[in-house]
Amino acid sequence: MTAILSRRAAFAGGAFALAAAGSAASPRTALAQSAPRTASADEIARGFSRQRLGRIAGVMQAEAERGSFPGAVTLIAREGDIVHFETHGHQDAAKTKAMPRDAIFLQASMTKPITSALAMMLVERGQMKLDDPIRTYLPELAELKVEIRREGQAPELVAPARLPTVHDLLRHSAGFIYANPASPSAAIRAAYEQHDIEARKGPVTGDEMLKRLGTIPLAFQPGTMFHYSIATDVLGLVIERVAGGPLDVVMRRELLDPLGMADTTWYVPEAKRTRIAEAPDSDPAKAEMWQSYRILENPSGTSYFKGGAGLVSTASDYLRFAQMIANGGVLDGQRYLAAPVVRFMLSNHILGMGGSTAATTGPGYGFGLGFGVRLADGMGTAPGSPGDAMWAGAWGTSFTIDPAEKLVAILMAQGPSNRFRTRMIFKNLVYGAMVESLRA
């Protein structure tokens, strides 16, 4: 087992706790121990049992052997200290190279929280508002219709009851979809595929994508349904119009460079390609997904930057972003978001709507602005705290930010078809190793 690290994970300003999760000043509560003695300091790291953290390596190796992924990188930080940072298995599908700590992973939908944070930076500066109709910035979408479906009747196209807003993009309630089996409309899914809205088949510029999208009806009335979708990709195009530059340039200037996320990019340059982690060749989703993501091609000038799916990153890089959110918007003394704005982002914004985040989070979660947010101690299928935030990517990555426990946990793996299984196993292992709680 790789030695557990005790260095600081750039914890600045104290970890950020939601009011609903209890006071950050609450005393640490030790869980009952099986042995009638007090654990020594070298057996406990920031409330984590070293022995229990040792379980992670064996379980990750077992997942690699069953074909869930060739290998993984796991990272846990508490109160800004890294208490666990290990590599497991192999980087490549052929299993010839051991997994390195700095392996590069396709983030897929773990791009969404970063794009959402960037959008909220513009909101708190007064450059746009959540209730702005998206047509304010994207006139190509000014004439959207809504498809109404009734059993036994042909679909009907009607005007939206209200216009989709920036808020709807952040919480996936605008009425957009992904062209996948979860689409409620075969006709809308077929139109997305025909027009290659998600740029799966090849490059599509942002202007062209919006022109095509403007001809396709919404699947729901705006503000009525959480439905996971291309909304964050559309949000990325809003950011470009508001900030006056390409999404990659704006994101690097405002977030990635200041946070020190040097390996978080929209494509992998030649010099770093030996570090790309691979999915198993046996994974049935791999070939089609690899064609869609095209991380060896620079999309600049040829295709839109996918604010909902386009980034690659490393465990260390993603920790920088996640720790900033856990700290309430600050890292290394530099503030990116105001603490009330982060609290607002990690609140449930889909109360009263239809739809569910369960396909990603499991039950018991709502959705904030870019993050799934836990609603209560119960209902979930893995431990956590009310107000913890998480999300995951289709290639197999996932993270948890638990403000009440001052915890950040990151799993980097590439195994699309087993991603839900492995993210929940990792979450169980993380909380199973936490023998001291910071909650009252």
Side-chain angles (χ1 to χ4, degrees), residues 24 54 70 89 123 153 157 227 232:
V123 168
Q153 300 181 32
L157 298 185
H227 188 82
T232 316

Side-chain angles (χ1 to χ4, degrees), residues 152-173:
Q153 300 181 32
E156 177 186 1
L157 298 185
V158 302
R162 69 160 176 80
L163 299 173
T165 64
V166 173
H167 199 177
D168 290 317
L169 297 180
L170 281 156
R171 64 188 180 183
H172 294 278
S173 59

Side-chain angles (χ1 to χ4, degrees), residues 112 115-116 119 134 138 141 164-178 192 197-198 209-210 213 218 225-239 304 306-309 367:
K112 289 179 172 70
T115 301
S116 299
I134 60 176
L138 308 175
L141 305 183
T165 64
V166 173
H167 199 177
D168 290 317
L169 297 180
L170 281 156
R171 64 188 180 183
H172 294 278
S173 59
F176 297 119
I177 67 162
Y178 275 126
Y192 272 54
I197 295 298
E198 297 163 46
M209 184 273 235
L210 290 170
L213 186 61
L218 300 172
M225 179 72 68
F226 170 88
H227 188 82
Y228 202 46
S229 70
I230 62 160
T232 316
D233 296 304
V234 177
L235 181 66
L237 297 172
V238 170
I239 290 170
Y304 70 92
K306 296 181 181 180
F367 197 80

Side-chain angles (χ1 to χ4, degrees), residues 233 236-237 240 246-248 266 298-301 303-308 310:
D233 296 304
L237 297 172
E240 290 190 342
L247 183 60
D248 66 326
W266 298 91
N298 185 350
S300 181
S303 196
Y304 70 92
F305 292 95
K306 296 181 181 180

Side-chain angles (χ1 to χ4, degrees), residues 98-115:
M99 179 69 76
R101 281 186 179 170
D102 66 350
I104 293 171
F105 295 82
L106 290 87
Q107 297 303 298
S109 286
M110 273 175 49
T111 304
K112 289 179 172 70
I114 300 178
T115 301

